[in-house]
Amino acid sequence: MPPSSQEVWTVALILKTVADYLRDKGCETPRLDAEVLLSHVLGANRVELYTGYDRPLVPVELEGYRALVKRRAAGEPAAYLVGHKEFYSLDFRVGPGVLVPRPETEFLVSAAIEEAKSRGEPLRAADIGTGSACVAVSLAVFASNCEVVATERSPVAAEFARKNVIAHDVQERVTVTEGELFEPLRRMGLAGKLAVVVSNPPYIAGSEFDSLPATVRNYEPREALVAGEGGTECHERIVKEAPDFLVPGGLLALEVGAGQFEKVAQTAGDTGFFGEPRALEDYGGIKRVFLVRRK
Ligand code: GLN
């Protein structure tokens, strides 16, 4: 309720009130979520919220917003409530059954774009476990010399991926194909043909699943989050299979969780196919991207 019956809910006042409320409810990004939900109700983008800061909300808007805030407070991810999520300055459709793109994954994308640009010539890349296709599409949009094959085992996620490819008009250069890890690439005869292999695989340890925030644990697909008991099961499979698909000098770029870099480096070293690994750190100083070149 507004502070008094004379006052009205302006954009500014309601955003502050809702952000405080969501913070109290344990939401990790309360202000962002308050803005994302209000943008959705008003049919405005977040910049327009700021330019219309003093605009009063009409009752139907207030009602719509209240309903969404209630669901967010109960745990539903904001991205599922509005049906999309911004990633690498692009907008991706998401919903139940597909992982919500995370800001830390932008480091992985930057590494892949930089590699593609420095190679210059037309090249083939693969995105293993593409989910919403946020990685594959961003790579194709920002590295126009890149053709990307994106694999995904979940039919629901693959459908989101295909929609996102079309929404960003990169269907000429991004192919979404259903199957487990590299299996579709083998079928397509791409062994030995990829300059870049990129992946943000599931990397939560099975034993850690129960301690994830409820908004993740209860809503996002477990199969997109958990990889075996130790969390690096998918990385290990990818590292072992990637040499078959990479050209000599080709880059493997994997997102890793806190403390996983060394384990993945060990597996890569054991294959005998790779040079020295490099790490990219995220904003929190965590080694977040594992980079290694095929010999
Ligand atoms: N590649 C997608 C992303 O980064 C999906 C990753 C996943 O489902 N583990 O969001």
Side-chain angles (χ1 to χ4, degrees):
M1 279 290 110
S4 89
S5 54
Q6 264 78 54
E7 291 186 63
V8 289
W9 283 113
T10 59
V11 166
L13 181 61
I14 202 153
L15 279 178
K16 180 169 182 340
T17 309
V18 167
D20 289 345
Y21 172 70
L22 291 177
R23 187 176 297 110
D24 285 349
K25 291 279 173 185
C27 170
E28 284 177 7
T29 49
R31 177 73 195 196
L32 175 66
D33 290 2
E35 290 181 9
V36 163
L37 298 179
L38 187 57
S39 299
H40 182 73
V41 170
L42 300 184
N45 62 38
R46 281 175 51 222
V47 173
E48 288 163 348
L49 289 186
Y50 281 84
T51 54
Y53 228 41
D54 299 324
R55 167 193 188 299
L57 269 70
V58 299
V60 63
E61 293 168 340
L62 269 175
E63 223 158 273
Y65 191 42
R66 235 181 233 130
L68 286 181
V69 169
K70 202 170 157 197
R71 288 171 67 182
R72 176 68 196 102
E76 278 182 74
Y80 285 177
L81 289 170
V82 300
H84 58 101
K85 171 77 184 176
E86 188 188 318
F87 176 84
Y88 220 84
S89 80
L90 303 173
D91 196 49
F92 290 90
R93 294 192 199 186
V94 293
V98 69
L99 193 81
V100 177
R102 305 294 205 268
E104 55 270 28
T105 305
E106 295 179 347
F107 291 96
L108 177 74
V109 172
S110 294
I113 292 173
E114 196 182 300
E115 174 71 5
K117 286 196 165 160
S118 75
R119 284 185 169 253
E121 80 274 0
L123 58 88
R124 278 209 189 90
D127 176 24
I128 308 298
T130 199
S132 62
C134 61
V135 173
V137 167
S138 305
L139 178 56
V141 166
F142 293 103
S144 55
N145 58 327
C146 227
E147 251 183 53
V148 191
V149 180
T151 75
E152 175 53 55
R153 67 182 165 189
S154 149
V156 176
E159 194 50 35
F160 278 104
R162 284 188 208 99
K163 286 195 176 128
N164 283 318
V165 167
I166 291 166
H168 291 95
D169 201 19
V170 285
Q171 59 275 25
E172 305 276 293
R173 286 186 294 114
V174 182
T175 309
V176 176
T177 149
E178 282 179 48
E180 184 82 14
L181 300 180
F182 287 91
E183 183 266 315
L185 304 178
R186 209 171 282 286
R187 238 193 291 134
M188 292 166 83
L190 290 174
K193 298 208 168 136
L194 304 174
V196 178
V197 170
V198 74
S199 182
N200 172 27
Y203 58 74
I204 307 290
S207 55
E208 284 168 11
F209 182 73
D210 288 341
S211 42
L212 290 175
T215 183
V216 176
R217 189 181 68 231
N218 294 339
Y219 294 92
E220 293 192 79
R222 188 189 165 105
E223 63 167 347
L225 294 163
V226 173
E229 266 318 291
T232 54
E233 196 172 271
C234 283
H235 295 103
E236 288 167 37
R237 289 169 65 192
I238 292 170
V239 162
K240 286 177 189 162
E241 272 201 78
D244 272 2
F245 292 89
L246 284 166
V247 298
L251 184 77
L252 172 63
L254 302 176
E255 183 167 324
V256 292
Q260 295 180 336
F261 182 89
E262 280 69 25
K263 183 85 201 290
V264 178
Q266 176 75 48
T267 310
D270 290 347
T271 67
F273 285 114
F274 294 107
E276 276 305 300
R278 259 188 328 124
L280 291 183
E281 292 185 355
D282 66 14
Y283 298 119
I286 291 170
K287 286 181 181 169
R288 184 60 71 181
V289 183
F290 171 89
L291 295 169
V292 79
R293 272 187 203 288
R294 196 199 192 292
K295 285 182 188 158

